[in-house]
Amino acid sequence: MSTISIFGLGYVGAVCTACFAKKGHTVIGMDVSEGKVGQVQRGESPIVEEQLAELLSEGVAEGRISATTDARQAVFDSQVSFICVGTPSDENGFLNTCYLKTVCEDIGLALRDKDDTHLVVIRSTVLPGLVRGDLLPILEKASGKKAGVDFMLAVNPEFLRESTAIYDFFNPPMTVVGGIDDEASDALAVLYQGLDAPMIKMTIEEAELVKYACNSWHATKVSFANEIGNIAKQAGVDGRRVMEVVCMDNKLNLSSYYMKPGFAYGGSCLPKDVRALNAWCDKESLTSPLLASLSTSNDNQVERAMAMIRESGMKKIGLLGLSFKPGTDDLRESPLISLAAKLLSEGYRLAIYDSNVNYASKNSPVAEQLWNSYGELFECLVEDMDQLVDGSEVVVLGHATPTFKAVADTVNSGRLLIDLCGYLPGVSSEDRQGICW
């Protein structure tokens, strides 16, 4: 077991102090508040949280929990330091990082005179880039040492809900570890051994953003449910019953199916239904800002792809896919059609390949309607995928199909590949760019 120092005895710090001690670690709580330190030393909880007082009292009685206002001593007497201080909003909505920076400087000054390798863990909620851009330099300057060589550094976001924080610590959905290197990630992961949850190792920046993604998604769900509830009441029905049924669908509604970054939505259902519901709200003079923003956000994703093509400075574009999703010939409200139309309107030389869209068939009423609606785009369709690639400077991967993936794997470095569907691994490079990665 390790000896852990926890900087900040507020909500997160106090819970982590009690729970790490319960796991058998020795924990030193550190805070500038003598009042909080005194409470923890007496085994009392500085906040209201179910089970916390009992665990703190138990840890103090068994000699696994102590508290101090001496930052230097806390670092010297431990192998790991968790930073759990608050990151409140400033008057402009940005993070107030003064507490974080002060603690990092205190820890760095202590590390200057400590010979043993120490692990510093940022548990506070921080925006992507803050640790590597702001906090790491403070630690290195104050310590005179280098992260990844003389001390270890990692980010470890918490997913604790107030009133159920103890349960959440021991039953997390996942444990996220973002180390500056594998050594830091592995050292941090050891502290969570025994918890029945996936251990997710990420980069520092990914770990920073995960917490914001989760919280923003929770806020979106609350706002969505409230707006549906408002619409339901206006329509004279019970919004609670409506959302109960929505939540019963674990195949789509409460799944990862629609939670993958990529291109815009389209097809015969989502665009028209979102428009219809917003039109109904307008007719009823009912404000639903979240629902009203969906079409704008969707259009923005098409414009984002367009901007990537413009920035390339190239004019010969090959588009792999035209229907609104793979495995269908349905062109209704396809975002790829919107993208293609923009390209043609701006003078790009466009070639399109989609094996499900038969450019030569104009005999059926449906085909005739499609031809009349998208005739200019049909003129861009080619039968040979290799011909499209050979004649293009930019290849746009619009569908995640095995055939198109094989093409993407073989596109040479002389062409720019733009991925709209999430096939490319890792983040963008100079000649292989993803729309969201």
Side-chain angles (χ1 to χ4, degrees):
M1 292 298 175
S2 301
T3 300
I4 300 169
S5 55
I6 293 184
F7 284 72
L9 290 174
Y11 170 70
V12 173
V15 170
C16 291
T17 295
C19 293
F20 276 124
K22 183 65 176 177
K23 279 179 59 63
H25 300 288
T26 300
V27 184
I28 305 166
M30 188 277 157
D31 202 287
V32 295
S33 168
E34 293 183 357
K36 289 181 180 179
V37 168
Q39 285 179 296
V40 172
Q41 285 176 327
R42 295 190 297 271
E44 301 170 1
S45 176
I47 60 170
V48 175
E49 181 66 42
E50 186 176 354
Q51 294 184 287
L52 181 57
E54 293 87 343
L55 290 185
L56 287 172
S57 178
E58 177 185 305
V60 170
E62 295 179 358
R64 292 196 304 274
I65 293 177
S66 61
T68 181
T69 58
D70 188 338
R72 180 182 176 84
Q73 199 60 47
V75 172
F76 265 76
D77 291 344
S78 61
Q79 293 92 44
V80 184
S81 292
F82 279 82
I83 300 178
C84 300
V85 298
T87 52
S89 297
D90 65 16
E91 63 275 9
N92 297 315
F94 293 106
L95 284 188
N96 183 337
T97 59
C98 65
Y99 308 117
L100 271 173
K101 291 177 179 178
T102 297
V103 169
C104 285
E105 186 170 11
D106 290 341
I107 291 175
L109 290 172
L111 291 178
R112 178 178 287 273
D113 300 321
K114 184 175 181 181
D115 295 329
D116 297 338
T117 301
H118 199 84
L119 171 60
V120 180
V121 181
I122 311 299
R123 191 119 163 109
S124 301
T125 301
V126 291
L127 288 163
L130 184 71
V131 170
R132 201 183 299 272
D134 290 17
L135 304 185
L136 184 153
I138 292 173
L139 286 163
E140 290 187 333
K141 181 179 179 180
S143 66
K145 297 181 177 181
K146 187 170 180 58
V149 178
D150 306 304
F151 67 91
M152 296 180 285
L153 180 65
V155 171
N156 178 216
E158 49 82 17
F159 303 98
L160 307 175
R161 298 168 294 174
E162 294 186 44
S163 78
T164 60
I166 303 297
Y167 175 85
D168 291 342
F169 183 97
F170 290 110
N171 301 274
M174 68 278 183
T175 300
V176 174
V177 168
I180 195 169
D181 53 26
D182 290 340
E183 183 183 8
S185 296
D186 293 343
L188 179 53
V190 168
L191 301 179
Y192 291 101
Q193 284 181 345
L195 296 185
D196 185 16
M199 173 63 64
I200 312 296
K201 295 181 180 180
M202 315 180 79
T203 67
I204 284 178
E205 290 76 14
E206 288 170 337
E208 289 170 319
L209 185 54
V210 160
K211 179 61 182 293
Y212 281 94
C214 289
N215 282 354
S216 296
W217 175 228
H218 300 329
T220 300
K221 288 181 287 186
V222 171
S223 297
F224 173 80
N226 288 341
E227 289 193 8
I228 293 298
N230 295 339
I231 292 169
K233 183 174 182 178
Q234 190 84 353
V237 300
D238 188 343
R240 296 167 299 181
R241 288 281 295 140
V242 172
M243 288 307 299
E244 282 175 9
V245 175
V246 170
C247 293
M248 290 173 66
D249 181 357
N250 291 305
K251 179 178 283 188
L252 296 178
N253 291 345
L254 301 181
S255 76
S256 61
Y257 185 83
Y258 292 115
M259 294 293 289
K260 299 177 178 66
F263 201 39
Y265 61 75
S268 62
C269 297
L270 299 187
K272 78 175 184 64
D273 290 348
V274 169
R275 277 196 300 270
L277 191 56
N278 276 303
W280 187 90
C281 289
D282 290 342
K283 180 175 71 72
E284 296 291 324
S285 298
L286 182 64
T287 302
S288 299
L290 177 63
L291 293 173
S293 72
L294 297 181
S295 294
T296 301
S297 178
N298 203 51
D299 292 343
N300 180 69
Q301 206 66 354
V302 177
E303 181 55 36
R304 182 178 176 87
M306 192 69 201
M308 293 172 68
I309 295 172
R310 290 192 195 106
E311 289 170 7
S312 74
M314 302 175 185
K315 286 296 184 179
K316 298 178 181 178
I317 314 300
L319 179 60
L320 295 177
L322 188 63
S323 60
F324 90 94
K325 70 175 185 178
T328 179
D329 61 352
D330 194 346
L331 300 176
R332 286 175 292 179
E333 308 238 23
S334 170
L336 292 173
I337 284 182
S338 298
L339 177 62
K342 283 179 178 288
L343 288 167
L344 288 179
S345 70
E346 295 188 18
Y348 287 88
R349 293 172 56 185
L350 179 63
I352 304 170
Y353 176 84
D354 189 327
S355 61
N356 292 313
V357 179
N358 188 344
Y359 78 101
S361 176
K362 306 178 189 177
N363 300 323
S364 71
V366 172
E368 184 178 359
Q369 181 182 3
L370 293 176
W371 181 268
N372 291 336
S373 300
Y374 309 116
E376 189 178 14
L377 296 182
F378 273 65
E379 298 290 350
C380 299
L381 285 167
V382 299
E383 294 184 85
D384 190 319
M385 189 167 52
D386 293 333
Q387 173 191 339
L388 177 147
V389 173
D390 290 342
S392 301
E393 297 170 312
V394 179
V395 177
V396 180
L397 185 63
H399 286 167
T401 67
T403 303
F404 292 170
K405 288 178 180 179
V407 171
D409 284 336
T410 58
V411 169
N412 62 47
S413 59
R415 294 179 176 84
L416 171 62
L417 177 66
I418 294 179
D419 178 16
L420 304 182
C421 54
Y423 167 63
L424 291 177
V427 297
S428 295
S429 61
E430 184 176 349
D431 59 354
R432 301 173 74 82
Q433 297 181 13
I435 190 167
C436 292
W437 44 92

